[in-house]
Amino acid sequence: MQDQDSYLAGYNPSKYPSLAVTVDVVALTIRDAKLCVLLVERGAQPFAGQRALPGGFVKEETLDDAAKRELAEETGVKPGHGDLERVHLEQLKTYGNPDRDPRMRIVSVAYLAFAPSLPDPTAGSDAALAYWVPVDEAKDLAFDHDDVLADGLERARAKLEYTPLATAFVNEEFTIGELRQVYASVWGEDLHAGNFHRKVLSVPGFVESTGTTTSRGGERGGPKAKLYRAGDAKLLHPALLRPTREDRVR
Amino acid sequence: MQDQDSYLAGYNPSKYPSLAVTVDVVALTIRDAKLCVLLVERGAQPFAGQRALPGGFVKEETLDDAAKRELAEETGVKPGHGDLERVHLEQLKTYGNPDRDPRMRIVSVAYLAFAPSLPDPTAGSDAALAYWVPVDEAKDLAFDHDDVLADGLERARAKLEYTPLATAFVNEEFTIGELRQVYASVWGEDLHAGNFHRKVLSVPGFVESTGTTTSRGGERGGPKAKLYRAGDAKLLHPALLRPTREDRVR
DNA sequence: CTTAGTTCGTCTCAAGTTGAGTAGTACTCG
DNA sequence: CGAGTACTACTCAACTTGAGACGAACTAAG
């Protein structure tokens, strides 16, 4: 093959359709014990009126910065604001099928964001119509965003197993019970409270005690719970594995 | 860098589209029990004479197809040939820093390929200078390809743990010992033969027996080994974890 | 042919991890 | 106050892991 330079020297832009690069963000949070994704309502064609993942064109910036910018714009939270600092953002996958956008070829770099409960985006946002939607109600999205969302959810579920990412969904100080609720919401199944407790405390660097407790018990009763903050581990050893599901294996 | 500077001085970005999309491929194989990556020698500026990952511009095709095409071109193996059918190819990550290519903005979608031992690419290849290099000798690559390779290696090491991907590195029929050698080469450490044997056979769907054995014992002695082929599992349950390394955790 | 050295496949055992259950206690709500 | 709930700590049996040992099958060298 020709290498990039010889290829570029003979490259004639008119021979190829123009091409654009965008970022799309799968932003996840937990509201009312349900895993929710940030969606925007499309005002223009194509897919007018349908919901889509927030996203936009990449400017003179890194891809990571573009994703951060889009997220800040859509949620209406200013960069530098404390809430956004705690958001975990990572690249998910790139989608570039020639026909994924009917107008022109668009290569979209999808990002995955994990956030603690954020304010409703409509207040003060650039985007008039952005809101959090429970993931099981997020269907029939524009473009190939159903696929993007599915990939994002699978990534999120897998990452809870072997990284301390669940701590990105809760406040700076949290109880083991709140952390367990994150796992239950993302995985969609309840966990054995006692075993979860034992496991979390036994993984080095996952959580560290603050020495304090909640000021009152749970809403429906129960004692005050000890408070923890995220530890310094980047990987969980041993991992917290999802309950085994044979059908996931093949 | 004199050459690169003068090259850049005569380069007029306005003649070209403001942004291009390429695919780069981290193709891995095992030769002589060493993990090797496919590299090409660059003939032109920038980075002339340096080694780089094979790659090229995306045409009117999916990103996956572009990666397949590049790999076939660089290895000189025709698509449809049996060898290439067995190659596992997956998207790795996208690199799009504005300054990663000095000529213009290039967004590169990196792919990761796992192949059984392939012929030397020089025979019959389009690329005059492509060859397999042991990964620990693959340094000082062009562009940001050192980072891309490092990301690819980490992904490969992690994927061996929880997917049956190691079977993509061996022939259609293989022995447990050959499979163990794959793990040892990729992870860079020896594994306990007995425990590995037990583990592989205990994971449902990882390997299935062919009922046959090798026609002779190992080169340095030992009995004939039973032959297996890849099973139908897509995930390994339970996983084959790397020997724990505390320093990987934080 | 004999011997040394290698590998395959199997087994054993102690240590650790898991899932499921139990229980005491401290809370909230009505 | 009583009922219900949640936090935390436990127990126990089943399973998984890592390390070592072993016999048999084989190759290569003497």
Side-chain angles (χ1 to χ4, degrees):
Chain A
M1 85 144 221
Q2 310 168 63
D3 71 17
Q4 291 187 358
D5 298 299
S6 54
Y7 200 117
L8 193 61
Y11 185 85
N12 176 357
S14 63
K15 275 165 54 184
Y16 299 95
S18 58
L19 186 154
V21 176
T22 62
V23 293
D24 289 324
V25 181
V26 178
L28 301 177
T29 198
I30 290 174
R31 309 190 123 203
D32 300 327
K34 280 200 287 206
L35 184 63
C36 296
V37 60
L38 185 68
L39 296 181
V40 298
E41 191 114 11
R42 287 186 59 80
Q45 292 295 345
F47 301 104
Q50 248 173 295
R51 296 175 301 183
L53 298 172
F57 289 92
V58 174
K59 302 181 181 175
E60 195 66 18
E61 62 199 342
T62 66
L63 298 174
D64 287 10
D65 286 343
K68 270 188 210 113
R69 180 177 51 74
E70 287 297 335
L71 185 60
E73 286 175 9
E74 303 291 355
T75 57
V77 179
K78 299 279 178 301
H81 183 289
D83 280 347
L84 263 192
E85 301 304 297
R86 297 209 54 244
V87 173
H88 171 94
L89 195 66
E90 67 176 53
Q91 198 185 295
L92 174 59
K93 189 178 165 184
T94 297
Y95 300 80
N97 275 13
D99 57 355
R100 64 181 291 282
D101 189 306
R103 293 164 298 183
M104 63 180 287
R105 179 138 195 199
I106 293 188
V107 171
S108 171
V109 184
Y111 274 78
L112 188 56
F114 303 88
S117 197
L118 287 178
D120 257 311
T122 37
S125 163
D126 287 357
L129 287 159
Y131 38 76
W132 296 101
V133 176
V135 291
D136 38 277
E137 296 168 21
K139 295 187 203 303
D140 301 315
L141 305 184
F143 308 106
D144 52 3
H145 289 183
D146 284 327
D147 295 334
V148 181
L149 176 58
D151 290 344
L153 290 176
E154 180 46 36
R155 173 76 107 3
R157 290 179 178 128
K159 279 219 133 183
L160 284 205
E161 292 191 310
Y162 59 94
T163 72
L165 215 77
T167 57
F169 282 109
V170 291
N171 294 322
E172 198 132 12
E173 300 200 340
F174 53 87
T175 68
I176 303 289
E178 285 164 0
L179 200 61
R180 176 162 46 80
Q181 185 55 59
V182 170
Y183 278 87
S185 298
V186 176
W187 285 348
E189 43 194 324
D190 287 338
L191 283 77
H192 185 292
N195 291 342
F196 183 85
H197 201 101
R198 174 183 58 182
K199 196 99 214 291
V200 167
L201 294 185
S202 78
V203 176
F206 190 2
V207 299
E208 58 186 36
S209 175
T210 63
T212 58
T213 67
T214 51
S215 56
R216 44 157 295 164
E219 304 224 340
R220 302 207 294 276
K224 294 169 182 168
K226 291 182 192 164
L227 284 167
Y228 297 84
R229 57 177 152 258
D232 60 353
K234 296 277 172 285
L235 291 171
L236 304 184
H237 266 279
L240 279 111
L241 298 177
R242 281 177 271 189
T244 310
R245 296 268 297 270
E246 286 305 328
D247 50 318
R248 254 210 325 279
V249 170
R250 312 228 169 157
Chain B
M1 276 300 146
Q2 176 62 43
D3 278 350
Q4 183 162 329
D5 288 342
S6 56
Y7 177 86
L8 278 174
Y11 182 76
N12 178 3
S14 66
K15 280 161 54 184
Y16 301 101
S18 57
L19 191 152
V21 176
T22 63
V23 294
D24 290 323
V25 181
V26 178
L28 301 177
T29 198
I30 291 174
R31 310 190 122 204
D32 301 326
K34 279 199 289 207
L35 184 63
C36 297
V37 61
L38 185 67
L39 296 181
V40 298
E41 191 114 12
R42 288 185 58 81
Q45 291 298 340
F47 301 105
Q50 250 173 293
R51 295 175 301 183
L53 298 172
F57 289 90
V58 174
K59 302 182 181 175
E60 195 66 20
E61 62 199 341
T62 66
L63 299 175
D64 287 10
D65 286 343
K68 271 189 209 113
R69 179 177 52 74
E70 287 297 335
L71 185 60
E73 287 175 8
E74 302 290 357
T75 56
V77 179
K78 299 279 177 301
H81 183 289
D83 280 347
L84 262 194
E85 302 304 296
R86 298 210 53 244
V87 172
H88 170 94
L89 195 64
E90 67 176 50
Q91 198 184 296
L92 174 60
K93 189 178 165 183
T94 297
Y95 301 81
N97 275 13
D99 57 355
R100 63 181 292 279
D101 189 306
R103 294 163 298 182
M104 63 178 289
R105 178 137 196 201
I106 293 187
V107 171
S108 171
V109 184
Y111 274 77
L112 188 56
F114 303 87
S117 197
L118 287 177
D120 257 312
T122 37
S125 163
D126 287 358
L129 288 159
Y131 38 77
W132 296 101
V133 177
V135 291
D136 39 277
E137 295 168 22
K139 296 187 203 304
D140 301 314
L141 305 183
F143 307 107
D144 51 4
H145 289 183
D146 284 326
D147 295 335
V148 180
L149 176 57
D151 290 344
L153 290 176
E154 180 46 37
R155 173 89 136 255
R157 291 180 178 129
K159 280 219 133 185
L160 284 204
E161 292 191 312
Y162 58 94
T163 73
L165 215 77
T167 57
F169 282 109
V170 292
N171 294 323
E172 197 131 14
E173 299 201 341
F174 52 87
T175 68
I176 303 290
E178 285 165 359
L179 199 60
R180 177 162 45 81
Q181 184 55 59
V182 170
Y183 278 88
S185 297
V186 176
W187 286 348
E189 44 193 323
D190 287 338
L191 282 77
H192 185 293
N195 291 342
F196 183 84
H197 202 100
R198 173 183 58 182
K199 196 101 215 295
V200 167
L201 295 185
S202 78
V203 176
F206 191 3
V207 299
E208 59 186 35
S209 175
T210 64
T212 57
T213 68
T214 51
S215 56
R216 44 156 299 163
E219 304 225 340
R220 301 206 294 277
K224 294 170 182 168
K226 291 183 191 164
L227 284 168
Y228 297 83
R229 58 177 152 259
D232 60 353
K234 295 279 172 284
L235 290 172
L236 304 184
H237 267 278
L240 280 110
L241 298 177
R242 281 177 270 190
T244 310
R245 296 269 295 270
E246 285 306 328
D247 49 318
R248 255 209 326 277
V249 171
R250 313 229 170 157

